[in-house]
């Protein structure tokens, strides 16, 4: 039976849009979590290129490079293609077909209520949103439901999409019989890393530290990080809670948090010295990833091959679900 909440095999689907290189926010906010989940769950991780097209449809030629970079970074971070199935969304047509079928039973009003619909439109100045853009969360629901996933690990901003996925699953099950599990949201506990200017980390703000940055670039960017504007020179007391350097300290050197906090508040620790020490810790933490990346970049065919074979495997799994869906809908 497809739906079985007591089933031993717990399934996760998660995805990332291949729009630009991955940064430390992606690594610490999502990837590390995926890596730890793969021990206990059957994981499908999707490079969701069709989702990327909802906003980047004018420059599809950039997708190929971003897809490759994403796969390299996933593996460099420790996602293991032997255990986790890597897929390219557009190579697994069942995502698109289920999206179409689910779109028939999803009221437009549900989609207009999703907070990201307004937020992304404003952020990217989209004046005339496309049909596909409005349907973004339906495609995401299809991504998840086509694997009969039980859970989805995401950040807070994505929680409404998973909630909508549950609503769509419920509506489908009500109309055509119990087929889809209602997936749980596995909220990521990791604090979000801000950009080096303290705003949200985003390539459009130019405030990112990339997973592919060399040690020198990391040091350079850390040295440019914004700090408490009231702390102008060493000796001035600072406010750690408002300082981006401390957000990084918590992730890359939690053992030195007390030392840094006391020093900053008393004024004994200057920002320059603090940043230098933090940069060392970050470079060291990134070293294994840097080495693994370099290794993978030496054999790009192997990276493509992993995406190819993962997608093939996903085609098998998803066509079984699709057959059940078609049957349930009398198609
Ligand atoms: N919308 C997600 C994001 O922007 C990406 C995504 C697409 C996704 N499909 C998914 C995430 C399915 C989890 C599950 O981050």
């Amino acid at each position: 039976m497809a739906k079985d909440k007591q089933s031993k095999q717990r399934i996760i689907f998660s995805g990332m849009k291949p729009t630009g290189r991955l940064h430390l926010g992606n690594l610490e906010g999502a990837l590390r979590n995926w890596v730890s989940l793969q021990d206990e769950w059957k994981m499908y991780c999707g490079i969701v290129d069709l989702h990327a097209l909802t906003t980047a449809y004018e420059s599809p030629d950039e997708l190929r490079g971003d897809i490759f970079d994403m796969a390299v970074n996933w593996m460099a971070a420790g996602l293991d293609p032997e255990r986790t199935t890597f897929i390219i969304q557009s190579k697994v047509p069942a995502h698109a077909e289920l999206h179409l079928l689910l779109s028939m039973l999803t009221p437009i009003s549900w989609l207009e209520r999703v907070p990201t619909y307004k937020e992304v439109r404003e952020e990217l100045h989209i004046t005339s949103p496309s049909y596909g853009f409005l349907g973004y969360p339906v495609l995401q629901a299809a991504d998840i439901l086509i694997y009969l996933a039980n859970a989805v690990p995401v950040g807070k901003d994505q929680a409404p999409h998973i909630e909508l996925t549950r609503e769509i699953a419920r509506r489908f099950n009500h109309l055509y019989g119990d087929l889809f599990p209602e997936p749980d949201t596995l909220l990521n506990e990791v604090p979000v890393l801000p950009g080096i200017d303290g705003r949200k980390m985003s390539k459009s703000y130019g405030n990112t530290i990339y997973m592919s940055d060399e040690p020198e670039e990391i040091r350079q960017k850390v040295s440019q990080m914004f700090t408490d504007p009231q702390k102008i020179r060493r000796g001035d007391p600072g406010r750690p809670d408002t300082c981006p350097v401390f957000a990084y300290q918590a992730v890359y050197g939690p053992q030195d948090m007390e030392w840094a906090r006391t020093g900053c508040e008393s004024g004994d620790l200057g920002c320059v010295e603090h940043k230098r020490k933090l940069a060392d810790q970050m470079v060291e933490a990134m070293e294994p990833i840097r080495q693994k990346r370099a290794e993978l970049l030496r054999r790009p065919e192997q990276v493509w091959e992993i995406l190819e074979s993962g997608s093939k495997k996903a085609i098998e799994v998803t066509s079984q679900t699709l057959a059940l869906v078609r049957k349930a809908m009398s198609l």
Side-chain angles (χ1 to χ4, degrees), residues 112-177:
E112 286 171 337
R113 271 206 310 266
V114 174
T116 47
Y117 179 57
K118 179 158 174 280
E119 286 159 17
V120 177
R121 223 166 58 215
E122 284 171 3
E123 194 182 316
L124 302 181
H125 309 289
I126 298 172
T127 46
S128 175
S130 72
Y131 171 55
F133 179 76
L134 176 66
Y136 182 110
V138 184
L139 181 57
Q140 183 161 351
D143 292 340
I144 297 163
L145 298 177
I146 197 74
Y147 295 94
L148 303 174
N150 308 99
V152 188
V154 285
K156 241 195 354 252
D157 64 312
Q158 290 293 313
H161 290 177
I162 314 308
E163 180 54 41
L164 186 79
T165 300
R166 277 195 292 275
E167 281 174 284
I168 293 175
R170 220 173 291 143
R171 189 159 163 81
F172 182 99
N173 291 346
H174 173 72
L175 290 167
Y176 309 113

Side-chain angles (χ1 to χ4, degrees), residues 103-299:
S103 76
M104 304 304 169
L105 53 106
T106 306
I108 291 178
S109 60
W110 288 9
L111 298 174
E112 286 171 337
R113 271 206 310 266
V114 174
T116 47
Y117 179 57
K118 179 158 174 280
E119 286 159 17
V120 177
R121 223 166 58 215
E122 284 171 3
E123 194 182 316
L124 302 181
H125 309 289
I126 298 172
T127 46
S128 175
S130 72
Y131 171 55
F133 179 76
L134 176 66
Y136 182 110
V138 184
L139 181 57
Q140 183 161 351
D143 292 340
I144 297 163
L145 298 177
I146 197 74
Y147 295 94
L148 303 174
N150 308 99
V152 188
V154 285
K156 241 195 354 252
D157 64 312
Q158 290 293 313
H161 290 177
I162 314 308
E163 180 54 41
L164 186 79
T165 300
R166 277 195 292 275
E167 281 174 284
I168 293 175
R170 220 173 291 143
R171 189 159 163 81
F172 182 99
N173 291 346
H174 173 72
L175 290 167
Y176 309 113
D178 252 7
L179 174 59
F180 296 121
E182 289 176 28
D184 294 327
T185 305
L186 300 181
L187 258 201
N188 222 335
E189 315 260 310
V190 182
V192 182
L193 283 177
I196 60 172
D197 58 1
R199 291 187 290 172
K200 177 181 165 210
M201 192 181 306
S202 159
K203 74 172 173 172
S204 51
Y205 293 153
N207 62 4
T208 47
I209 303 179
Y210 291 107
M211 284 180 69
S212 55
D213 280 348
E214 292 295 325
E216 264 328 292
E217 291 171 288
I218 295 178
R219 287 182 206 284
Q220 178 66 24
K221 288 179 180 176
V222 173
S223 78
Q224 291 166 353
M225 238 178 233
F226 283 32
T227 51
D228 180 355
Q230 286 181 13
K231 183 170 164 69
I232 295 164
R233 58 182 67 80
R234 181 174 173 167
D236 297 344
R239 295 165 301 174
D241 294 333
T242 65
C243 176
V245 179
F246 276 85
Y248 283 81
Q249 188 68 57
V251 173
Y252 292 101
Q255 70 282 8
D256 292 326
M257 226 21 203
E258 264 329 292
W259 164 82
R261 178 178 286 280
T262 316
C264 174
E265 283 172 344
S266 71
D268 288 346
L269 177 64
C271 298
V272 174
E273 184 192 343
H274 184 195
K275 287 172 169 181
R276 217 174 271 142
K277 171 135 193 202
L278 171 68
D280 286 340
Q281 290 174 319
M282 288 174 62
V283 167
E284 195 186 322
M286 290 303 291
E287 187 53 24
I289 291 182
R290 200 179 74 85
Q291 284 179 14
K292 189 83 200 290
R293 266 183 60 86
E295 210 177 283
L296 291 162
L297 291 175
R298 280 195 289 274
R299 0 173 213 115

Side-chain angles (χ1 to χ4, degrees), residues 18-44:
T19 48
R21 291 181 286 158
L22 291 194
H23 52 62
L24 296 190
N26 304 123
L27 173 65
E28 307 300 345
L31 271 180
R32 300 258 195 221
N33 190 31
W34 293 12
V35 170
S36 67
L37 288 167
Q38 68 184 342
D39 293 333
E40 290 182 28
W41 296 72
K42 172 68 205 139
M43 296 254 294
Y44 293 91

